[in-house]
């Protein structure tokens, strides 16, 4: 029996975490986002509706208790819009927002863009949502938290100090930036009033829920390779987008995290910059991009695509302590033949033992591939029909590919996904909430 299960992306994000958080949420009581902010874009397709969440945990369509925990950074405007959208769909909002999550302000967004410009070749190609600058302020201990936001008398003096220094900084690059303090303060004061009913100490709430035997589903944003401490630095994000971020991001002690489910995409996608050894630039890339609808949920940027990289995924499995994996977007490889799988890297004629983590080293690595027969193109109805029939109905060549991933990673596959819809899911082994 597992009471707390985490869903983690094992690559560069957009692996299909949203789909599987929604799927597993069917058996959960509480769904928790514990890192990142509105740099994330999590898609769920259920009962004919497509939801795209940036901040709301993916338990919202099922009206589960949803927690935005302390490890997140929150743009209040974005969160309020998502609440409004859900209300318009007649969804009940069961949100708990951590009083110690940090708040994103307009100057964080501006600084995000300015910092990127000065980073040159080391720019990550951020979403420009102010994520890095907000986490920087948190680490520098002058960040503004949700508690401050909902208490205007505390907010005002803190924001005054922060605003002054940020304005001076921005004006070095852009002397024309002349936003008025009162405008920002009044805008954020209103956000605070609107968000106040949701604000609690989520660490206390979640630990009580653990004690009460509630089923808690923890939703990572981004992916393991984008993680701050154990990812592809500096081409990642500013939070621990992996299982290691759960305890600091929620206050749930490590000993109470029972199971880690890693989401693996059938190929690799990447938004933003940095070397991507298995990247494709030919018509196969265009085909995968179209078939997988690989355009960023947040920024609309075409995603870079390439073959699956089991070498860096293995590193993620080690870092996250993954118990089971889920393979997604298998249908998006339809009609592609052969399909390649990277199982290792070669550097200066030598096969590496472990993914080399340093971006400068990875630049010089060559992927080692295995080749697999592909499967035929099908209609959406045909994929749905296969999903209804179950694992045995999958194309034989797809089963060989799936089992090769399992053998290479030495982790059992819990589920596979052959379409965006909740119903286009095949359970191989129950993950036993
Ligand atoms: P997340 O950030 O990990 O939650 O993933 P995104 O939602 O950003 O990107 C995954 C995209 O693939 C979304 O558009 C999903 O609806 C879609 N998707 C998820 N699983 C499948 C699948 O098995 N097949 C297809 N064709 N699309 C999928
Ligand atoms: P989900 O949760 C894919 C990437 C950006 C950039 C780097 C840093 O949907 O998987 P940031 O704005 O976080 O400072 O950008 O990280 N990135 C993502 N890529 N999916 C995401 O989220 C991402 N969130 C950030 O493209 O390279
Ligand atoms: Mg996404």
């Amino acid at each position: 029996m597992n009471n707390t299960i985490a869903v983690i992306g094992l690559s560069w994000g957009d692996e299909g975490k949203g789909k599987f958080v929604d799927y597993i949420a069917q058996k959960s009581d509480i769904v928790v986002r514990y890192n990142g902010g509105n740099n994330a874009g999590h898609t769920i397709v259920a009962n004919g509706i497509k939801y795209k969440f940036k901040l709301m945990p993916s338990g919202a369509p099922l009206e589960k208790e949803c927690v935005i925990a302390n490890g997140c950074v929150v743009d209040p405007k974005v969160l309020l819009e998502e609440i409004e959208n859900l209300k318009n769909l007649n969804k009940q909002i069961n949100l708990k927002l951590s009083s110690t999550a940090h708040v994103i302000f307009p100057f964080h967004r501006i600084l995000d863009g300015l910092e990127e410009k000065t980073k040159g070749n080391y720019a990550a190609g951020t979403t420009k949502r102010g994520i890095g600058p907000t986490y920087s302020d948190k680490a520098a201990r002058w960040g503004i938290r949700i508690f401050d936001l909902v208490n205007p008398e505390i907010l005002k003096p803190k924001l005054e100090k922060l605003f002054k220094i940020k304005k001076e900084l921005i004006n070095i690059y852009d002397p024309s930036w002349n936003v008025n303090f009162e405008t920002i303060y009044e805008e954020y004061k209103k956000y605070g009033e609107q968000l106040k009913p949701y604000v609690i100490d989520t660490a206390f709430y979640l630990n009580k829920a653990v004690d009460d035997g509630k089923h808690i589903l923890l939703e990572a944003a981004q992916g393991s390779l984008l993680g701050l401490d154990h990812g592809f630095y500096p081409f990642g994000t500013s939070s621990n987008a992996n299982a290691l971020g759960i305890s600091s991001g929620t206050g749930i002690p490590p000993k109470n995290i029972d199971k880690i489910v890693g989401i693996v995409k059938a190929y690799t996608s990447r938004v933003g910059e940095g070397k991507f050894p298995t990247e494709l630039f030919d018509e196969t890339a265009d085909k995968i991009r179209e078939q997988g609808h690989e355009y960023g949920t947040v920024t609309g940027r075409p995603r870079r695509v390439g073959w699956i990289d089991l070498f860096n995924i293995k590193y993620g499995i080690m870092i996250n302590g993954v118990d089971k994996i889920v393979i997604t977007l298998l249908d998006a490889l339809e009609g592609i033949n052969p399909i390649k799988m990277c199982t290792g890297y070669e550097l200066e004629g030598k096969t590496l033992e472990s993914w080399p983590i340093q971006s400068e080293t990875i630049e010089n690595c060559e992927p080692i591939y295995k080749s697999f027969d592909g499967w035929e193109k099908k209609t959406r109805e045909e994929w749905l029909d296969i999903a209804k029939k179950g694992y045995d109905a999958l194309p034989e060549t797809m089963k060989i590919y799936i089992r090769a991933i399992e053998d290479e990673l030495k982790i059992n596959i819990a589920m596979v996904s052959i379409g965006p819809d909740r119903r286009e899911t095949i359970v191989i082994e129950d993950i036993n909430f």
Side-chain angles (χ1 to χ4, degrees), residues 2-4 28-30 205-206 208-217 433:
N2 305 282
N3 285 337
T4 51
S28 327
D29 301 306
I30 304 173
Y205 172 80
L206 289 171
K208 189 167 179 309
V210 169
D211 291 345
D212 292 345
K214 290 267 167 64
H215 291 170
I216 302 171
L217 183 58
F433 232 142

Side-chain angles (χ1 to χ4, degrees), residues 3-283:
N3 285 337
T4 51
I5 296 183
V7 172
I8 311 288
L10 286 180
S11 201
W12 271 292
D14 306 324
E15 299 91 346
K17 297 175 295 293
K19 171 172 171 169
F20 278 90
V21 171
D22 166 75
Y23 192 86
I24 303 169
Q26 294 176 99
K27 288 191 191 170
S28 327
D29 301 306
I30 304 173
V31 182
V32 189
R33 261 284 298 272
Y34 65 86
N35 77 295
N38 55 313
N39 47 348
H42 296 180
T43 318
I44 296 155
V45 182
N47 301 323
I49 304 175
K50 189 181 217 173
Y51 304 85
K52 284 173 182 271
F53 295 124
K54 294 169 184 154
L55 274 165
M56 274 306 277
S58 299
L62 290 165
E63 301 180 331
K64 298 287 171 178
E65 291 287 337
C66 285
V67 175
I68 298 177
N70 61 282
C72 296
V73 287
V74 177
D75 187 324
K77 185 166 186 262
V78 175
L79 179 58
L80 286 162
E81 277 165 9
E82 293 196 334
I83 293 172
E84 203 48 41
N85 292 342
L86 283 162
K87 283 185 179 164
N88 290 338
L89 290 167
N90 289 323
K91 292 284 173 191
Q92 202 185 318
I93 310 292
N94 300 312
L95 177 68
K96 307 264 184 293
L97 173 61
S98 169
S99 57
T100 58
H102 279 247
V103 182
I104 301 177
F105 286 90
F107 43 77
H108 291 126
R109 289 195 293 271
I110 309 264
L111 284 167
D112 196 349
L114 293 173
E115 287 173 6
E116 279 279 282
K117 271 193 202 146
T118 63
K119 284 180 181 171
N121 290 342
Y122 285 103
T126 72
T127 59
K128 298 198 174 66
R129 299 304 190 262
I131 306 298
T134 307
Y135 278 115
S136 300
D137 283 355
K138 172 180 176 174
R141 290 168 286 103
W142 61 6
I144 290 180
R145 310 207 284 191
I146 293 290
F147 179 82
D148 307 324
L149 183 75
V150 301
N151 288 290
E153 71 291 354
I154 298 173
L155 174 68
K156 194 166 190 188
K158 281 193 184 177
L159 186 59
E160 255 163 355
K161 281 204 189 76
L162 194 64
F163 177 79
K164 185 171 179 293
I165 187 95
K166 298 295 173 186
K167 186 167 183 298
E168 281 171 14
L169 194 56
I170 293 171
N171 284 156
I172 295 172
Y173 299 95
D174 177 8
S176 68
W177 195 77
N178 194 24
V179 175
N180 180 282
F181 169 76
E182 283 300 329
T183 312
I184 294 187
Y185 171 68
E186 287 303 326
E187 181 186 341
Y188 274 69
K189 201 169 91 170
K190 283 205 190 80
Y191 296 149
E193 282 161 18
Q194 288 168 275
L195 288 175
K196 197 164 189 164
Y198 305 109
V199 178
I200 60 161
D201 175 351
T202 54
F204 179 73
Y205 172 80
L206 289 171
N207 277 288
K208 189 167 179 309
V210 169
D211 291 345
D212 292 345
K214 290 267 167 64
H215 291 170
I216 302 171
L217 183 58
L218 299 147
E219 175 177 15
Q222 289 82 54
S224 202
L225 297 171
L226 291 169
L228 183 59
D229 281 274
H230 299 280
F232 192 29
Y233 188 89
F235 297 100
T237 191
S238 306
S239 66
N240 278 306
N242 49 41
L244 302 170
I246 297 172
S247 286
S248 60
T250 60
I252 299 175
K255 68 174 183 181
N256 287 335
I257 300 158
D258 298 319
K259 190 163 264 187
I260 311 290
V261 177
I263 311 292
V264 174
K265 203 168 192 159
Y267 51 91
T268 307
S269 71
R270 172 78 170 105
V271 231
E273 303 302 323
K275 174 81 178 177
F276 161 9
T278 61
E279 184 165 10
L280 290 166
F281 300 95
D282 55 9
E283 63 276 12

Side-chain angles (χ1 to χ4, degrees), residues 356-419:
I357 199 151
Q358 292 300 335
S359 66
E360 291 85 352
T361 312
I362 292 171
E363 300 253 343
N364 298 314
C365 289
E366 280 301 321
I368 302 165
Y369 288 114
K370 282 186 181 166
S371 207
F372 292 82
D373 289 338
W375 42 90
E376 304 268 288
K377 232 172 146 40
K378 301 195 187 304
T379 63
R380 271 284 45 97
E381 291 70 34
E382 285 170 326
W383 284 118
L384 189 57
D385 189 49
I386 290 174
K388 269 189 207 140
K389 289 183 178 142
Y391 182 78
D392 288 343
L394 289 174
E396 287 307 316
T397 46
M398 188 190 278
K399 282 191 247 178
I400 291 168
Y401 184 67
I402 291 169
R403 292 305 174 191
I405 295 174
E406 192 170 51
D407 287 348
E408 198 66 44
L409 298 178
K410 297 184 179 65
I411 301 274
N412 288 357
I413 297 172
M415 292 179 268
V416 295
S417 175
I418 51 171

